[in-house]
Amino acid sequence: MYSFTKIGVILGGCIYCLNESYSHLDVRLNHYLAFSAFFPNTAASRVLELNDRFLDIRKEGQWLVMMYAPWCAHCKRLEPIWGHVAQRLYATSVRVGRVDCTRFTNVARTLEVKGFPTILFLKGDQEFVYNGDRTRDEIVKFALRLTGPPVQEITKTQSFEILKRDRDLYFLYVGETSGPLWELYHKTAELFQPHAFFYRSHVKVTDKHVPVENTPTLFVYKENLHYNFTGHDITDIETLNITLYKWVNAERFPTFPKVTRGNINQLFLTNKNLVLAVVEENQLEEISPDMTEFKDMVESVIKKKREKYHDHFQFGWIASPDLVNSIATTVVPLPSLIVINTSTSHHHIPEDEPGKLTPHVIEMFLEQIRNESAPKYGGNGWLVRIYRSWFETKTTLFLMWKGNPILTMVLFGLPAGFLSLICYGICCPDILDADDDEEEYTNGNHMKKD
C-alpha cells in the first residue's frame, strides 16, 4: 500500500558552510560561470535548462535537478516552486536545473527516472531521490542537508543561537570524536542525512545552551527543547547500534507534525502507532475554528503526557481527508481521530463521536490500543487491498463526476460506446449475415416469380 524509501546554517539567506574555504567557493563559482556559458538564457530564472551534455558534468560539484515531462500536470504545478528553490539556493554551491525527459531520454535512462516529476540531488558518485513534500522550504532543506558532510561541527557559542532559530529540529553530539558512540552516531547520520540535520560540538561551546552532564552524549532538539538519548549506558555495540538507529528514526519528526502524502511514508517507518487528528483546510490552507479546537485538543494529549505516550505513539494532524478515507476505506467525519498501526497497517477509530472526545477519553482509547483491546480494522490482506482499490476507484469517479460531469461522460462514455460497437460486431456477425442472405433469397424468389 505504501512505498518506503547531508548541512549548513541559514542566516538572512546566507549559508555558513562550516568546513568550506573561500578557495572552494571560488572554484565552484568558476565552474558555474563556465557552465552558464552553455546556457546563456537561464540567468533570469536561476534554473539551468539541461540537455544530454549534463551526463558529462553531473559528477562535477553538487546538483539539484528536476526530471520532468511537459505534459505532466504535477510537473507544471512544481515549476513555479522550482524557480523559488533555485532563487533560494543561488548563493550556495548547489546548482539547480531541470531536464525535459521527453527530449533527452538518455539522461532519464541513465539516472533511472521512473516517474515525473523526480527530484534528484547529485554529489559526485552519490545520488539521492527526494520523496518529501513538494514545497520550497522542504526541498531547500533537503538540498542544504546534503551539501556538507553528514555531521557538521559547531565551534562557536554564538552559533547555537543561530542554530536554534533556523533549525526547528536537529541532532547534536557533544564530546570527543572517538569511541563507539561517536562512530555509530556518524554512521547513522550518513544514513539519515537526507532527512535530518546532524551536528557535533564540545562542552565549552554548548555549556550555556545544552544540559550536558556527562560526555559523550546525544541530544535531539525540537519544540525549543533538547531531549537526551537514553541509551548511553549500553555497552554491547550491536545493541547500541540498533537502539541509536531506532531513536534517530523515531525522533527525526516533530512531536505534532502536519502529515501529508509527501511524508506519511516516512512516518510509517517509525513503527509506532500514528495518531492523527483529521481536519480540513480551505484553499488558503486555513482551518475552521471548531477543527482548530479539535486539533489543539489532540495535541495537548502528547504535550502533557509525552513521557507516557512518546515511545509508543507518533502524533500528528492531517488535512487530507481523502487520504484518510483511503486508509479507512470509508468516509470519516470531520473532524475525527484515527490511529494507524504502521507495522500492520491496521487502524483504530474511537467509538465515541468526535464531539464527545476529550483528552481523558483519548487517553483511555490509547490505553486500549496499547493493551490490544481496541477493535482494529483494515490491514494488508489481499481482500483488504482489493476492497481498498475498489473504494479508491469509486471515490475518484465520484469526485470526477462531481467536479465536471460532462467531461466525465466524454472520458468514459465515448470509450464505452466504441467498445460496445466492437463487441456487437464480434458477437453478432451471424445476424448481419442472416439479413443479407434473407435479402438475397427474397430477391431470388421475386426473380423466379417474374
Side-chain angles (χ1 to χ4, degrees):
M1 172 183 172
Y2 300 98
S3 55
F4 303 127
T5 356
K6 268 181 189 179
I7 294 190
V9 180
I10 307 177
L11 176 59
C14 299
I15 307 300
Y16 294 89
C17 296
L18 301 175
N19 294 321
E20 185 170 58
S21 63
Y22 287 108
S23 60
H24 289 158
L25 292 174
D26 292 339
V27 170
R28 287 185 172 89
L29 182 59
N30 290 333
H31 278 305
Y32 176 78
L33 293 176
F35 186 79
S36 297
F38 296 108
F39 304 92
N41 297 324
T42 60
S45 66
R46 310 296 194 194
V47 177
L48 301 173
E49 296 289 345
L50 308 174
N51 55 31
D52 284 332
R53 298 178 63 184
F54 174 62
L55 294 176
D56 300 328
I57 59 173
R58 66 186 179 95
K59 295 184 180 182
E60 300 177 9
Q62 300 173 336
W63 295 89
L64 184 66
V65 184
M66 177 179 71
M67 316 299 289
Y68 76 100
W71 46 261
C72 172
H74 296 290
C75 301
K76 293 178 180 179
R77 285 195 290 268
L78 182 59
E79 186 175 350
I81 298 173
W82 199 247
H84 291 302
V85 170
Q87 186 67 35
R88 287 285 299 272
L89 295 174
Y90 181 66
T92 72
S93 60
V94 181
R95 287 172 282 186
V96 181
R98 65 177 189 169
V99 178
D100 182 350
C101 294
T102 62
R103 294 179 57 195
F104 310 110
T105 57
N106 191 36
V107 179
R109 190 182 308 111
T110 302
L111 296 178
E112 300 181 353
V113 176
K114 299 180 181 179
F116 307 114
T118 295
I119 299 175
L120 300 174
F121 187 92
L122 309 175
K123 182 169 63 173
D125 293 324
Q126 295 178 297
E127 297 180 9
F128 302 90
V129 181
Y130 178 72
N131 293 308
D133 287 331
R134 293 169 186 163
T135 62
R136 182 197 64 179
D137 292 342
E138 291 301 317
I139 297 174
V140 168
K141 287 179 182 179
F142 168 75
L144 293 178
R145 286 193 286 261
L146 293 168
T147 54
V151 181
Q152 288 209 39
E153 183 180 11
I154 305 298
T155 58
K156 297 179 180 180
T157 302
Q158 297 87 341
S159 299
F160 269 97
E161 291 298 333
I162 302 173
L163 194 65
K164 290 191 290 185
R165 184 178 64 195
D166 296 331
R167 298 281 181 260
D168 52 359
L169 192 152
Y170 62 82
F171 292 92
L172 176 66
Y173 172 91
V174 182
E176 298 296 329
T177 55
S178 61
L181 184 60
W182 161 251
E183 293 175 359
L184 294 176
Y185 173 72
H186 194 278
K187 176 184 175 182
T188 305
E190 289 179 336
L191 295 173
F192 288 101
Q193 189 175 5
H195 308 292
F197 292 96
F198 294 85
Y199 299 96
R200 66 181 178 91
S201 192
H202 304 275
V203 176
K204 294 181 179 180
V205 180
T206 63
D207 186 37
K208 296 180 180 180
H209 301 278
V210 185
V212 178
E213 295 181 1
N214 298 302
T215 60
T217 186
L218 283 177
F219 297 92
V220 61
Y221 175 83
K222 52 184 170 182
E223 285 84 45
N224 302 317
L225 292 171
H226 284 91
Y227 297 99
N228 207 317
F229 173 56
T230 58
H232 295 105
D233 298 332
I234 299 176
T235 56
D236 182 71
I237 301 300
E238 184 176 352
T239 304
L240 178 61
N241 184 30
I242 296 173
T243 304
L244 178 59
Y245 177 90
K246 290 181 177 180
W247 181 74
V248 171
N249 185 40
E251 296 292 348
R252 61 193 176 100
F253 301 101
T255 301
F256 195 72
K258 180 179 181 179
V259 179
T260 65
R261 293 183 180 274
N263 64 11
I264 191 170
N265 291 328
Q266 289 296 318
L267 285 162
F268 262 67
L269 296 178
T270 63
N271 291 323
K272 291 183 178 182
N273 288 291
L274 186 57
V275 184
L276 296 180
V278 186
V279 297
E280 189 174 33
E281 291 178 330
N282 60 22
Q283 294 181 347
L284 299 177
E285 296 186 352
E286 298 172 338
I287 306 174
S288 62
D290 61 320
M291 293 193 184
T292 300
E293 183 180 356
F294 180 82
K295 179 175 76 74
D296 294 341
M297 186 262 294
V298 176
E299 182 179 8
S300 69
V301 176
I302 185 61
K303 289 293 181 68
K304 295 178 180 179
K305 301 292 181 69
R306 187 182 190 277
E307 293 184 1
K308 183 178 181 180
Y309 294 120
H310 181 69
D311 291 340
H312 305 280
F313 299 94
Q314 170 64 56
F315 281 66
W317 64 281
I318 185 168
S320 302
D322 56 332
L323 178 57
V324 177
N325 294 340
S326 176
I327 295 172
T329 60
T330 188
V331 179
V332 299
L334 296 174
S336 64
L337 185 72
I338 185 172
V339 181
I340 306 170
N341 187 319
T342 59
S343 299
T344 66
S345 294
H346 287 96
H347 63 273
H348 309 270
I349 298 177
E351 297 179 356
D352 299 85
E353 296 179 2
K356 297 181 180 180
L357 290 178
T358 64
H360 178 68
V361 173
I362 294 176
E363 289 184 40
M364 293 177 58
F365 177 56
L366 298 180
E367 288 300 321
Q368 291 178 343
I369 295 174
R370 288 181 62 179
N371 59 36
E372 299 183 355
S373 63
K376 60 183 180 180
Y377 310 94
N380 254 341
W382 63 273
L383 286 175
V384 176
R385 291 199 295 267
I386 293 175
Y387 181 78
R388 181 173 288 115
S389 298
W390 175 84
F391 178 83
E392 291 176 350
T393 302
K394 180 186 70 172
T395 303
T396 300
L397 292 176
F398 174 76
L399 292 176
M400 289 178 62
W401 175 264
K402 184 178 179 181
N404 196 326
I406 297 177
L407 179 61
T408 305
M409 292 180 61
V410 171
L411 289 175
F412 293 95
L414 289 179
F418 282 117
L419 182 62
S420 300
L421 290 175
I422 293 173
C423 292
Y424 182 83
I426 294 174
C427 300
C428 307
D430 295 338
I431 298 175
L432 297 176
D433 293 341
D435 292 340
D436 294 339
D437 292 342
E438 183 179 352
E439 184 177 353
E440 291 177 3
Y441 177 78
T442 303
N443 290 338
N445 287 340
H446 283 301
M447 291 174 63
K448 291 179 179 180
K449 185 176 182 179
D450 295 338

